[in-house]
Amino acid sequence: KYKELVSSIEKVKHLSLTDIVDVIPQTRTSTGSPVALNKSQLYSYTEIQDIAYGDYRSTDMRGWELPTRAKHFAEAGDIYVGSVWGSVAKWFIVDKLVGNLVVTNGCYRLRVKKGQEDALVDLVAFLCSDAYATQMRELARGSDGLAEVHESDLSKVLITVITDSGIRKNVSEFLEALLA
């Protein structure tokens, strides 16, 4: 299934995931500066079970209450995708109103590269597809329950480019709603 899928994507206009986004390391800002947890500060924490398909929930916790897996300090526009086999289809984009959101290390934190802002529409549409989940599951390595997609394999994920202007417009409206 994976080989047939990739072969069919390669026949149309496409980009790799890492053509569109950069992977931001844990405990770093989007500019690369280190971020430290403040034990007394109130944070909103998102775990893997709080992530859906484009959306997320969070629980308010003080810094000292957060689990050790709370590693990503979110910024508006961040895209989080599940990294473990059972959660690779889960993803969300951080809205423009975010404040003190911390996300589990069971995700990759992605940011759109400068000059690739238009491709965000393609990415968001593709994240909603079975084609994305199929590729991520195939790329997962490790023991059955905890197989993980390695960061180096994210460049192998191929994303189709939407060429229909009507579909692009509909997906753009969906994206704007997520960011609002």
Side-chain angles (χ1 to χ4, degrees), residues 10 25 34 63 65 70 75 96 102 109 120 148 165 167-168:
E10 288 174 332
E65 296 176 291
E75 298 173 50
K96 296 174 183 174
V102 182
R109 179 181 176 199
L120 182 55
E148 186 173 0
S165 61
I167 294 173
R168 283 194 84 75

Side-chain angles (χ1 to χ4, degrees), residues 47-66:
E47 294 188 279
I48 202 73
Q49 67 261 21
D50 298 329
I51 300 171
Y53 305 97
D55 202 4
Y56 66 100
R57 299 186 316 270
S58 57
T59 304
D60 289 342
M61 302 172 101
R62 295 270 173 211
W64 60 269
E65 296 176 291
L66 289 169

Side-chain angles (χ1 to χ4, degrees), residues 108-125:
Y108 284 114
R109 179 181 176 199
L110 310 175
R111 266 195 97 75
V112 176
K113 292 180 177 184
K114 289 194 186 312
Q116 290 296 326
E117 295 81 6
D118 287 344
L120 182 55
V121 170
D122 304 301
L123 176 58
V124 165

Side-chain angles (χ1 to χ4, degrees), residues 15-22 77-81 91 93 110-113 116-129 132 157-162 168 171 174-175:
L15 297 164
S16 79
L17 180 61
T18 55
D19 288 340
I20 301 170
V21 296
D22 289 317
D78 284 349
I79 303 159
Y80 287 88
V81 296
W91 70 277
I93 189 165
L110 310 175
R111 266 195 97 75
V112 176
K113 292 180 177 184
Q116 290 296 326
E117 295 81 6
D118 287 344
L120 182 55
V121 170
D122 304 301
L123 176 58
V124 165
F126 203 73
L127 290 173
C128 295
S129 73
Y132 168 73
V157 176
L158 300 182
I159 295 159
T160 55
V161 174
I162 301 168
R168 283 194 84 75
V171 175
F174 173 66
L175 174 58

Side-chain angles (χ1 to χ4, degrees), residues 5-57:
L5 172 65
V6 169
S7 178
S8 69
I9 293 172
E10 288 174 332
K11 292 176 184 173
V12 298
K13 189 172 180 181
H14 67 279
L15 297 164
S16 79
L17 180 61
T18 55
D19 288 340
I20 301 170
V21 296
D22 289 317
V23 180
I24 307 296
Q26 298 175 14
T27 67
R28 298 284 174 178
T29 66
S30 59
T31 59
S33 301
V35 179
L37 184 70
N38 179 333
K39 299 268 184 196
S40 63
Q41 189 167 346
L42 186 63
Y43 293 93
S44 293
Y45 176 58
T46 298
E47 294 188 279
I48 202 73
Q49 67 261 21
D50 298 329
I51 300 171
Y53 305 97
D55 202 4
Y56 66 100
R57 299 186 316 270

